[in-house]
Amino acid sequence: MTSMNWAIGVIFLSQTVFGVLGNLSFLYHYIILHFTGCRSRSTDLTLKHLIVANTLVILTVGVPRAMAAFGLKHFLNDFGCKLVFYVYRVGSGVTIGSTCLLSVFQAIIISPRNSWWANLKAKAPRYMGITTIFCWIMRMLLNIIFPMYIMGKWSNTNITMKTDLGYCSFVSNSKMTRSPYAALISLPDVLCLGLMIWASGSTVFILHRHKQRLQHIHRTNVSSRSSPESRATQSILILVSAFVSCYSLSCICEVCLTLFKDLSQLMLTTSSLIVMCFPTLSPFLLMSRDSSVSWLCFAWISNTKIFSLIRNV
């Protein structure tokens, strides 16, 4: 094992540990808020599903890549390869679907009352949960044919075209079957990405227009602190910006990996690192933006208990 492979293995292992701990910390953050009595928000369920999807992506990419870099290249058989890549595809799809859903929901919530979004304001929170579950089901069904193109490296099956993915192989009988399949697996992601960018652009436009209307209000009695809705909107915008940056690169890499047979291992390694960037960083981005809200919630609970004790005395 070369020093380069050792370094790659350490990088993937570190990113995996860092990402899993970050997502578990974010889940613990929600558990604490739940047991302390904080009122849940409409986006909390979708964010919890995002945590699960992030963890699946990190584990199915980081762990096999680290093991392959450390020299264990034949540790997965056909079934193991098919299962790992299927779970990765589903988790990756739910990640982009959940992020898209969050951006669209936030655009609906902050839209003015006279806009055509107004009719959806009251209905949107009720459909967040079922839409998130539908995202899981759709991704499971969409990627059900994906295992057909994955096999273990040790397999002796005679395949015309085979792309080495490091510890497994992507196979197809001819290049003609690769192009339609690449379009099939990329189309939902491209649609979600476009919808996400459109919703985020609408959100920025609404916030800019609202800010212009309030520019003439500069009174001492007006608080300089942003509202919870504004902080939530900024959190979603930061999340979407990070996602668009990471996922655009990873989507391009995946299409290239699907269409072209001869690719260097450096390209495969770079693609995997980019894929893991958003699931690893997103919980830390959200926790850093949500820390002030959590502190206010804890402070409110503490004050409520103190006042309650004083009344009892």
Side-chain angles (χ1 to χ4, degrees), residues 134-248:
F134 174 76
C135 182
W136 280 98
I137 297 174
M138 183 189 68
R139 291 293 179 169
M140 289 178 181
L141 296 177
L142 181 64
N143 291 284
I144 200 168
I145 64 173
F146 190 84
M148 296 172 55
Y149 297 90
I150 299 295
M151 65 171 49
K153 291 186 65 175
W154 60 270
S155 178
N156 295 322
T157 305
N158 186 17
I159 300 295
T160 305
M161 299 190 68
K162 181 184 294 188
T163 300
D164 185 6
L165 300 178
Y167 49 92
C168 296
S169 299
F170 180 84
V171 299
S172 62
N173 294 324
S174 67
K175 193 170 184 177
M176 293 300 294
T177 62
R178 290 184 171 222
S179 298
Y181 184 68
L184 176 64
I185 63 174
S186 301
L187 182 60
D189 294 349
V190 172
L191 291 176
C192 285
L193 197 63
L195 185 59
M196 201 183 308
I197 295 173
W198 173 76
S200 300
S202 301
T203 301
V204 171
F205 175 75
I206 293 171
L207 291 177
H208 178 69
R209 188 171 59 180
H210 180 69
K211 183 178 179 180
Q212 285 183 330
R213 290 177 180 176
L214 297 179
Q215 277 182 347
H216 65 282
I217 302 178
H218 294 287
R219 300 289 187 268
T220 56
N221 59 342
V222 177
S223 175
S224 60
R225 296 186 60 179
S226 58
S227 65
E229 292 80 7
S230 178
R231 290 194 297 270
T233 302
Q234 292 172 6
S235 300
I236 299 301
L237 288 176
I238 292 174
L239 186 71
V240 171
S241 299
F243 184 88
V244 171
S245 301
C246 297
Y247 207 85
S248 296

Side-chain angles (χ1 to χ4, degrees), residues 31-80:
I31 293 175
I32 292 297
L33 293 181
H34 174 74
F35 282 105
T36 51
C38 286
R39 188 168 63 91
S40 61
R41 295 167 295 185
S42 301
T43 57
D44 285 352
L45 180 60
T46 303
L47 287 172
K48 292 173 185 177
H49 282 271
L50 180 62
I51 294 172
V52 176
N54 284 343
T55 305
L56 290 179
V57 172
I58 292 171
L59 292 177
T60 53
V61 176
V63 174
R65 284 290 174 191
M67 294 178 68
F70 287 135
L72 302 174
K73 296 185 179 297
H74 302 282
F75 56 91
L76 289 177
N77 55 15
D78 275 355
F79 176 78

Side-chain angles (χ1 to χ4, degrees), residues 63-123:
V63 174
R65 284 290 174 191
M67 294 178 68
F70 287 135
L72 302 174
K73 296 185 179 297
H74 302 282
F75 56 91
L76 289 177
N77 55 15
D78 275 355
F79 176 78
C81 285
K82 294 178 188 298
L83 178 62
V84 166
F85 275 87
Y86 177 74
V87 173
Y88 157 69
R89 287 298 308 175
V90 173
S92 178
V94 174
T95 297
I96 185 173
S98 299
T99 309
C100 179
L101 181 61
L102 289 170
S103 63
V104 173
F105 175 80
Q106 201 63 37
I108 293 174
I109 292 301
I110 69 169
S111 60
R113 295 181 180 180
N114 57 355
S115 67
W116 63 282
W117 289 104
N119 295 330
L120 298 175
K121 275 193 173 185
K123 299 178 181 179

